[in-house]
Amino acid sequence: MVQITFITPAGVEHRLDGDIGQSVMEIGKRGAVDGIVGECDGSAACATCHVHVDPAWLASVGPPLPDEEDLLDFAHGRRADSRLSCQIRLRPALDGLIVHTPEEQG
Ligand code: FES
C-alpha cells in the first residue's frame, strides 16, 4: 500500500491509499479528487490528469516519458513540475507522494 496526498488549488488535501502498480490518476479518480478527470482512462491521450509534483518529490517521480512529454504540451498551465498522473505508477519509493492539482484541466 502506498499513500498519496493530492492538494487542490484551494488547499484541500485528499490523502488516499493505492496499490503498487496502480497509477496516481486511478487513485485520484477513485477518490473523486477535484481536478483529476482522466478522460482517456490512462491511455495517455487526453492530458486531463495533469498534476504538479510537489518539489520534495520531483527527483523520486522522475521526468515525463517521451510520449507524455508531447501530450503535456496540451496541458493547461504546464510547468517544469508537470506530469500526467496516469503515467506515474505507484511503487514503494513513492509512499507519501504529494501532488498538486492544477487550477484548470485541458
Ligand atoms: Fe488521459 Fe492521463 S488519463 S492522459
Side-chain angles (χ1 to χ4, degrees):
M1 202 67 95
V2 175
Q3 187 178 77
I4 309 172
T5 300
F6 296 81
I7 304 177
T8 70
V12 178
E13 293 191 13
H14 300 264
R15 201 157 291 148
L16 301 169
D17 291 328
D19 294 322
I20 302 297
Q22 285 188 299
S23 74
V24 171
M25 179 277 290
E26 289 174 293
I27 306 306
K29 268 186 94 167
R30 193 190 65 206
V33 174
D34 197 26
I36 301 294
V37 180
E39 271 175 14
C40 76
D41 267 335
S43 308
C46 72
T48 62
C49 63
H50 175 211
V51 294
H52 299 291
V53 177
D54 191 85
W57 287 92
L58 274 173
S60 301
V61 171
L65 305 169
D67 288 351
E68 178 185 352
E69 183 69 50
D70 293 341
L71 197 55
L72 273 169
D73 288 338
F74 296 98
H76 182 84
R78 183 194 178 164
R79 305 189 312 222
D81 60 4
S82 291
R83 289 290 312 262
L84 296 179
S85 59
C86 69
Q87 301 301 301
I88 305 172
R89 292 279 162 195
L90 298 184
R91 52 187 194 275
L94 295 184
D95 188 24
L97 175 65
I98 300 170
V99 296
H100 301 262
T101 58
E103 292 282 347
E104 209 175 301
Q105 286 289 15

